[in-house]
């Protein structure tokens, strides 16, 4: 049976059992530090949301992809994502938040441009954060059960956020539980969110400095290296021996994403093979891997270890390349 058929046959439990299921979560919530008062204030207000179950079903169908399908070109994606409006807005935020960004960069080693590159991609700098009620979505998805372990944990994390003072009405986001300006899941918020403006609260739902400090902290923990640029646009000679450059490493996560990267060579070794840097000159001993997202004959990119921290935020080469290119365009 194909995965798609299995997904379509998944039967949701009846909505009538929803409140009983939530009540059964009390011991777990208590263990995490949620008070009875908070639990009793929130849970009776939650109702089953069939819309998010439908969206979750659609997504599970999309996951079934043909591994032999042709790979889509990057250029149209880039044109949509790294557009003049988004670049201009990024520069506006950079100007207005320059002091906060300088402090965040000094502390985390993540450059302002890369922070803004992620911020612009996730929510257009806080403009589009999603309007699904977080606790309602997560409780429904947990009850539905296709990915209960994930969503039950996120629901309980969201309850902990409320316990610690996050305003219930501010917790809105995508149907799948990503909230606020940086689109963090609640568990990510609890682990990594930071206060960027010094008021003691990491208010990623309405504060840009907090959002940017949180994005930077995420990337820092994911391995973004201070002073190591994410990557470089390059021209590749027609005769480049690509078979010799194939990676022999199989990534345990996001296998298809990492498969598109060559093995690592130094910048000097790439130059010796005829690769020309279109802009920027990395140190000769910097380790870089090649991706050709539009195929031979088009602009390619040499990627650093810091690029992989961006992949940790969202494991897609198009996303990470586009974030890096938006970053470069904003600070250019
Ligand atoms: Ca704050």
């Amino acid at each position: 049976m194909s995965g798609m058929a299995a997904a379509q046959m998944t039967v949701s439990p009846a909505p009538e059992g929803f409140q009983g299921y939530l009540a059964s979560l009390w011991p777990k919530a208590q263990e995490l530090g949620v008070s009875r008062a908070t639990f009793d204030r929130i849970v009776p207000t939650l109702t089953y949301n069939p819309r998010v179950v439908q969206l979750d079903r659609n997504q599970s169908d999309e996951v079934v992809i043909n591994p032999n399908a042709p790979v889509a070109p990057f250029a149209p994606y880039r044109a949509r994502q790294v557009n003049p409006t988004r670049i201009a807005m990024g520069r506006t935020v950079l100007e207005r938040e320059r002091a906060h960004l300088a402090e965040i960069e000094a502390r985390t080693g993540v450059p302002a441009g890369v922070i803004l590159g992620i911020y612009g991609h996730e929510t257009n700098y806080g403009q589009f954060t999603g309007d699904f009620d977080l606790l309602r979505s997560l409780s429904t998805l947990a009850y539905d059960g296709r990915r209960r372990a994930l969503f039950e944990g996120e629901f309980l994390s969201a309850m902990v956020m409320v316990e610690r003072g996050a305003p219930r009405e501010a917790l809105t986001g995508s149907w799948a539980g990503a909230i606020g300006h940086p689109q963090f899941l609640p568990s990510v918020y609890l682990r990594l969110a930071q206060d960027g403006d010094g008021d003691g609260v990491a208010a990623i739902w309405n504060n840009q400095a907090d959002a940017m400090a949180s994005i930077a902290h995420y990337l820092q923990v994911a391995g973004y290296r201070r002073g190591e640029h994410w990557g470089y646009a390059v021209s590749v000679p027609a005769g480049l021996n690509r078979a010799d450059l194939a990676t022999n490493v199989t990534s345990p996560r996001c296998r298809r994403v990492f498969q598109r990267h060559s093995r690592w060579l130094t910048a000097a070794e790439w130059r010796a093979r005829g690769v020309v840097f279109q802009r920027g000159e990395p140190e000769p001993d910097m380790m870089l891997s090649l991706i050709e997202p539009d195929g031979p004959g088009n602009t390619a990119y040499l990627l650093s270890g810091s690029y992989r921290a961006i992949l940790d935020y969202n494991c897609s080469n198009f996303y990470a390349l586009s974030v890096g290119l938006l970053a470069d365009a904003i600070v250019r």
Side-chain angles (χ1 to χ4, degrees):
M1 179 187 294
S2 77
M4 181 180 286
Q8 286 168 343
M9 288 173 64
T10 304
V11 176
S12 299
E16 290 71 37
F18 180 64
Q19 274 295 329
Y21 164 70
L22 295 184
S24 77
L25 295 179
W26 163 243
K28 291 179 181 174
Q30 184 180 34
E31 199 168 308
L32 293 169
V34 177
S35 69
R36 188 79 225 187
T38 298
F39 193 84
D40 288 345
R41 189 173 79 249
I42 301 288
V43 166
T45 69
L46 299 175
T47 53
Y48 183 82
N49 186 348
R51 175 78 183 131
V52 301
V53 173
Q54 185 58 49
L55 289 164
D56 185 57
R57 291 285 183 273
N58 294 345
Q59 189 195 50
S60 76
D61 292 350
E62 287 166 11
V63 168
V64 182
I65 45 179
N66 176 2
N68 300 315
V71 177
F74 173 56
Y77 179 94
R78 172 186 177 163
R80 275 198 311 278
Q81 298 291 332
V82 188
N83 61 62
T85 305
R86 192 172 274 174
I87 295 167
M89 284 185 67
R91 287 179 180 157
T92 301
V93 179
L94 177 65
E95 281 306 313
R96 196 179 56 232
E97 295 288 334
R98 197 173 275 286
H100 284 136
L101 283 163
E103 186 277 320
I104 293 166
E105 180 169 343
R107 184 158 41 80
T108 62
V110 180
V114 172
I115 297 168
L116 292 168
I118 296 227
Y119 196 10
H121 275 76
E122 291 297 328
T123 57
N124 221 28
Y125 314 101
Q127 281 200 314
F128 307 114
T129 57
D131 55 8
F132 281 88
D133 175 353
L134 176 75
L135 288 156
R136 188 181 181 211
S137 295
L138 290 175
S139 56
T140 297
L141 291 166
Y143 175 61
D144 179 60
R146 188 174 77 82
R147 290 182 287 171
R148 176 166 288 183
L150 167 69
F151 287 119
E152 189 175 281
E154 293 301 338
F155 171 69
L156 292 166
S157 291
M159 294 288 279
V160 173
M161 287 180 68
V162 174
E163 183 68 38
R164 295 184 186 173
R168 162 87 174 84
E169 65 283 359
L171 296 183
T172 60
S174 75
W175 66 266
I179 45 161
H181 292 213
Q183 295 286 283
F184 278 4
L185 286 169
S187 64
V188 174
Y189 176 89
L190 293 178
R191 196 160 48 88
L192 296 173
Q194 299 264 297
D195 174 24
D197 65 352
D199 71 349
V201 182
I204 63 164
W205 42 87
N206 64 10
N207 185 289
Q208 289 203 309
D210 293 354
M212 295 188 296
S214 299
I215 290 169
H217 187 222
Y218 186 106
L219 292 175
Q220 179 189 18
V221 170
Y224 203 101
R225 298 176 195 158
R226 186 183 298 271
E228 185 184 84
H229 195 57
W230 66 271
Y232 300 87
V234 294
S235 305
V236 175
L240 187 73
N241 184 347
R242 291 176 178 81
D244 172 54
L245 293 167
T247 180
N248 56 7
V249 177
T250 302
S251 170
R253 65 181 188 96
C254 296
R255 191 170 49 85
R256 289 163 54 87
V257 169
F258 287 97
Q259 262 176 352
R260 297 194 68 188
H261 303 178
S262 77
R263 63 188 174 89
W264 299 93
L265 295 177
T266 65
E269 287 170 328
W270 286 113
R271 285 199 190 90
R273 288 168 190 250
V275 170
V276 175
F277 289 82
Q278 293 179 0
R279 177 171 166 258
E281 286 291 316
E283 294 295 316
D285 60 351
M286 186 174 179
M287 298 300 290
L288 297 158
S289 66
L290 180 72
I291 187 168
E292 295 181 280
D294 288 311
N298 295 297
T299 292
Y301 300 90
L302 283 173
L303 311 169
S304 73
S306 289
Y307 174 87
R308 297 191 171 202
I310 303 173
L311 281 182
D312 202 79
Y313 208 99
N314 182 346
C315 204
S316 150
N317 281 310
F318 282 13
Y319 175 87
L321 283 170
S322 185
V323 163
L325 292 166
L326 178 59
D328 288 355
I330 290 169
V331 302
R332 169 170 264 171

